[in-house]
Amino acid sequence: MDTTAPASRRATRPQAAPKVGFVSLGCPKALVDSERIITRLRAEGYELSADYQGADVVVVNTCGFLDSAKQESLDAIGEALAENGRVIVTGCMGVDEAHIRAEHPDVLAVTGPHQYEQVVSEIHNVVPPAHDPFQDLIPPQGIRLTPRHYAYLKISEGCNNACSFCIIPSMRGRLASRPAADVMREAERLVEAGVRELLVISQDTSAYGVDLKYAVSAWNGREIAARFYDLTEALGHLGVWVRLHYVYPYPHVDDVIPLMAEGRVLPYLDVPFQHASPNVLKAMRRPAHQEKTLERVRKWKEICPDLAIRSSFIVGFPGETEEDFNLLLDWLQEARFTRVGCFKYEDVAGAASNALPNHVPEDVKQERFARLMETQAKVSADLLSSRVDQTIEVLVDEVDEEGAIARSAWDAPEIDGCVFLNGQTNLELGDMLTVRVEHADEYDLWATPVEASS
Ligand code: SF4
């Protein structure tokens, strides 16, 4: 070290940037939280470390939705402690600090979901920022963990519902929507940065703006209301794919279906129905469970025949009888959803459903799970086979030495199917092109390019 250097020279010499390791678990909403924390850290001059050894401190963003997710979070904290030793925990599981400390007493700090300020302040305590005012370290669109061509757009936090199996409202609080102009500005920045698909997320997307009483805010010289339809319509003008997740079938959702039919937003709705039996839905305390959903779905498809509906279901919910389950299977065959996810019910510490009578034995849950997946596989194979010989537009997600993996408008990243473009090694991530479908199975399509549109 040069101990003879004048004080003024020592003061301006750039320090090595402190490095933070980041482990992000859980749902897309948790991923958005991670992005916000990282954006803030990068703005302060921190760098991200790709491995535990190179990090001055490791942040683990946990998931606490199911007990299995909590265990995964505890395992991730244990691994980070073993490999690095300086660990800060945040995210949904952070509300249960006692549980974390019982297993990992050496974690440096524990903060809860979307406590960005606290996480950053804990990081400051462990490793202060190396401030360099002459460097602009942050691109205007922030730092994202998703690939460059798609991004999650979080429009609200929290939830006003009280589903009996869910502890999210107690962890994340009541619905708190972002002003519409804020959402639109973020969406515009993402599009300017090269994003070609925006995935709109929240806990309850169709309830957007209720808490703000649909307040208007100024965007691009006009006023825009914080209302589900108005926001969807405005996003539909940005010239990129817009995909709506976590939409409950409230009557006003009908209004956005014509936007899908006109090609303004993707003909895709992620509606977490969870069940079809009125008894189970009542026990689950699901929002909109009294709506005539099959009738509504039929009406949506009349307006937009190409509409893909993805949904998730819980089998083996306490009190679910064989009759309830058979009703669900019949309902699924009639509804013919494009994509279906299924979970076996699990007790979650703090959830009201734990106390319900008539818990379903594990072997029955497993058997119902298998039957539901088998039923849906037939529906899905049938729907996908109707795509063979069609010409469709796809977005490329991955390219390797065997070809490209793309997605259609009916498939969300990570959770739905793919369109395989074998041998197409010259494509790039984010390319959009027109392809002809040649083959289909229960989940995926295989296709060849017709013409490149980008
Ligand atoms: S709608 Fe129900 S399941 Fe979804 S976050 Fe709210 S309470 Fe939980």
Side-chain angles (χ1 to χ4, degrees), residues 111-366:
T111 70
H114 50 272
Q115 294 184 331
Y116 316 123
E117 302 296 327
Q118 286 92 325
V119 181
V120 171
S121 132
E122 295 295 348
I123 293 169
H124 289 169
N125 291 339
V126 182
V127 50
H131 184 56
D132 182 353
F134 301 107
Q135 251 185 309
D136 182 9
L137 291 160
I138 176 169
Q141 75 279 15
I143 307 294
R144 289 179 295 108
L145 300 179
T146 44
R148 195 180 144 74
H149 61 284
Y150 67 83
Y152 293 98
L153 186 64
K154 198 180 205 176
I155 60 171
S156 62
E157 286 285 2
C159 178
N160 288 351
N161 300 312
C163 301
S164 57
F165 55 84
C166 179
I167 53 170
I168 284 176
S170 63
M171 291 193 296
R172 299 201 162 228
R174 290 180 63 77
L175 180 74
S177 305
R178 297 173 63 195
D182 276 15
V183 177
M184 289 309 299
R185 276 192 285 272
E186 181 180 352
E188 276 181 321
R189 279 199 301 275
L190 289 166
V191 173
E192 278 160 22
V195 162
R196 307 202 75 176
E197 176 178 7
L198 293 167
L199 300 116
V200 177
I201 57 164
S202 69
Q203 311 293 347
D204 183 354
T205 296
S206 31
Y208 171 69
V210 171
D211 55 311
L212 299 177
K213 300 197 171 50
Y214 312 116
V216 294
S217 46
W219 169 69
N220 273 358
R222 70 167 171 116
E223 295 204 314
I224 175 167
R227 193 188 301 273
F228 176 59
Y229 174 84
D230 299 54
L231 185 70
T232 307
E233 197 267 346
L235 289 169
H237 283 287
L238 296 180
V240 295
W241 280 8
V242 175
R243 192 181 294 282
L244 302 177
H245 287 278
Y246 312 113
V247 177
Y248 290 101
Y250 304 120
H252 68 274
V253 172
D254 298 2
D255 301 340
V256 302
I257 308 297
L259 296 176
M260 298 180 176
E262 290 160 22
R264 299 275 294 283
V265 297
L266 291 178
Y268 181 99
L269 268 185
D270 175 2
V271 191
F273 286 108
Q274 307 300 14
H275 215 283
S277 156
N279 297 336
V280 179
L281 288 170
K282 196 162 168 230
M284 287 178 166
R285 295 196 224 133
R286 292 294 287 164
H289 76 268
Q290 281 154 339
E291 304 296 334
K292 296 192 171 89
T293 37
L294 266 191
E295 220 170 89
R296 173 148 282 128
V297 166
R298 222 173 280 128
K299 205 167 121 204
W300 290 346
K301 286 192 178 165
E302 269 169 35
I303 300 167
C304 181
D306 232 7
L307 177 67
I309 298 176
R310 135 162 290 273
S311 191
S312 55
F313 295 89
I314 298 174
V315 294
F317 191 77
E320 182 193 60
T321 61
E322 192 58 22
E323 197 184 344
D324 291 321
F325 180 69
N326 283 329
L327 190 151
L328 171 60
L329 285 191
D330 291 347
W331 189 86
L332 272 176
Q333 279 164 298
E334 207 175 332
R336 288 172 65 78
F337 294 136
T338 317
R339 301 289 180 191
V340 162
C342 182
F343 302 91
K344 286 173 274 179
Y345 173 80
E346 269 183 40
D347 272 350
V348 175
S353 56
N354 303 353
L356 288 172
N358 303 322
H359 276 239
V360 176
E362 283 309 314
D363 58 335
V364 177
K365 283 186 205 168
Q366 178 54 40

